[in-house]
């Protein structure tokens, strides 16, 4: 896709939109729909078309249907699986993605600074801040934030939905604690055409953006539109190593011990045994390998302004305040 193409606009008229929602994540779908419809109407947009995800199709088919029907913006309303399905369907199109996070630990939402803020997500869309992002491709699926193999996916697999619903993203810490002493995997990592790296690693992450659940910035140099994937190889072996890594991440400065970082456009990871794997915080089938490549500037994403700042979450708090006024106006009508 031509990275120099102008971003999609529609003059002063409101954009045609669609909402792809996971109904399981919404306590009151009717009320949620009234709020979204009302806010978009108050902003001068036509009423969106609504699509519900299913177990069989978590959002990709619905999003493709919305694109065929002429949507210019698709709102992804759900957890990591819903958002990733929408990303996969929208990559390579001129249709923009807006995130209305309903899950507990949505990775793309964390990188936008949105948390579970419906008002901010709506405001960011109607203000039309747009940024064209790279996406990573694994097989026939895409990811916007990061793919991973090993400990990170084990953590997700061990975190219960009940605990997430009760305490939010810190539930992942509980899941992580169960695997701190697991044995490492032996991996071969080939980046582009370089000779393979061989490591005893706990996790290998292939990232387009650098934040984890809870807003923790793992990769400070990862930029979402630089045409590169950042590859993080984590090699802690003791509890002390894990604590040192955590302390370095909490301080937000300096290098992170027991972590190597590389850059590449194609990455192939092969383990000595099958490992849990994840894309954007959503578990996929375990396997011995994970192959990813970058698809540069292929996704239009609705972002807080200023749109070109390296940190996608800049202005999120101010957008949330503006969004609250928009939602209140819609509720008065």
């Amino acid at each position: 896709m031509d990275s120099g193409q102008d971003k999609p606009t529609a003059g002063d008229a409101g954009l045609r939109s669609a909402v792809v929602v996971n109904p399981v994540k919404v306590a009151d779908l009717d009320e949620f729909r009234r709020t979204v419809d009302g806010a978009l109407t108050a902003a001068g947009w036509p009423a969106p078309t609504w699509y519900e995800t299913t177990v069989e199709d978590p959002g990709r088919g619905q999003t493709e249907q919305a694109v065929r029907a002429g949507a210019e913006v698709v709102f992804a309303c759900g957890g990591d699986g819903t958002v990733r399905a929408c990303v996969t369907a929208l990559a390579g199109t001129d249709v923009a993605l807006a995130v209305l996070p309903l899950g507990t630990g949505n990775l793309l939402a964390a990188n936008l600074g949105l948390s579970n803020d419906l008002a901010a997500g709506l405001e960011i869309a109607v203000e039309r801040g747009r940024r064209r992002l790279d996406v990573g491709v694994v097989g026939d699926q895409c990811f916007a934030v990061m793919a991973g193999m090993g400990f990170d996916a084990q953590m997700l697999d061990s975190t219960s939905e009940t605990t997430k619903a009760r305490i939010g993203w810190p539930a992942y810490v509980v899941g992580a604690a169960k695997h701190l002493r697991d044995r490492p995997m032996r991996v071969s990592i080939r980046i582009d055409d370089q000779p393979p790296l061989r490591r005893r690693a706990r996790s290998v992450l292939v990232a387009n953006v650098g934040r984890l659940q809870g807003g923790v910035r793992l990769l400070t140099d990862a930029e979402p539109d630089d045409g590169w994937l950042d590859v993080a190889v984590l090699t802690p072996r003791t509890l002390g190593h894990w604590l040192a890594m955590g302390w370095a991440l909490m301080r937000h400065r300096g290098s992170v011990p027991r972590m190597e970082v590389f850059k590449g456009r194609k990455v192939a990871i092969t383990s000595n045994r099958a490992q849990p794997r994840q894309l954007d915080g959503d578990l996929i089938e375990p396997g011995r390998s994970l192959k990813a490549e970058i698809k540069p500037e292929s996704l239009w994403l609705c972002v807080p302004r200023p749109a070109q700042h390296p940190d996608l979450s800049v202005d999120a708090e101010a957008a949330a305040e503006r969004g609250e006024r928009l939602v209140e106006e819609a509720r008065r009508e």
Side-chain angles (χ1 to χ4, degrees), residues 149 183-188 270-275 288:
M149 183 172 178
R183 63 190 176 112
M185 55 185 177
R186 296 182 182 272
V187 292
S188 170
T270 305
S271 171
N272 62 324
R273 61 186 188 276
Q275 298 291 335
R288 287 189 58 204

Side-chain angles (χ1 to χ4, degrees), residues 85-101:
C86 294
V87 167
T88 298
L90 294 178
T93 76
D94 283 332
V95 180
L97 172 67
V99 181
L100 299 182

Side-chain angles (χ1 to χ4, degrees), residues 107-118:
L107 270 177
L108 186 55
N111 280 277
L112 290 171
L114 291 182
S115 182
N116 281 354
D117 196 327
L118 173 62

Side-chain angles (χ1 to χ4, degrees), residues 20-169:
V20 177
V21 60
N22 181 351
V24 175
K25 298 288 187 179
V26 187
D28 187 336
L29 184 57
D30 290 337
E31 175 62 23
F32 179 77
R33 181 167 181 165
R34 282 193 295 270
T35 300
V36 173
D37 286 353
L40 293 179
T41 299
W45 287 32
T49 305
W50 286 74
Y51 301 87
E52 294 185 18
T53 68
T54 64
V55 173
E56 295 75 21
D57 189 340
R60 182 173 181 175
Q62 295 87 338
T63 304
E64 290 172 346
Q65 185 178 349
V67 172
R68 290 193 297 269
E72 296 167 283
V73 176
V74 171
F75 291 92
C77 309
D80 288 311
T82 306
V83 174
R84 187 171 63 81
C86 294
V87 167
T88 298
L90 294 178
T93 76
D94 283 332
V95 180
L97 172 67
V99 181
L100 299 182
L102 299 175
T104 304
N106 188 280
L107 270 177
L108 186 55
N111 280 277
L112 290 171
L114 291 182
S115 182
N116 281 354
D117 196 327
L118 173 62
L122 289 166
E123 182 68 21
I124 286 166
V126 301
E127 288 182 356
R128 305 193 195 184
R130 300 286 188 271
R131 186 163 177 178
R132 197 196 286 269
L133 306 188
D134 305 333
V135 299
V137 181
V138 174
D140 65 348
Q141 303 180 75
C142 295
F143 63 92
V145 181
M146 65 181 65
M149 183 172 178
F151 172 80
D152 57 303
Q154 286 177 321
M155 173 190 71
L156 295 171
D157 193 31
S158 297
T159 303
S160 74
E161 293 295 325
T162 302
T163 307
K164 284 197 293 183
R166 189 170 66 247
I167 66 174
W169 70 263

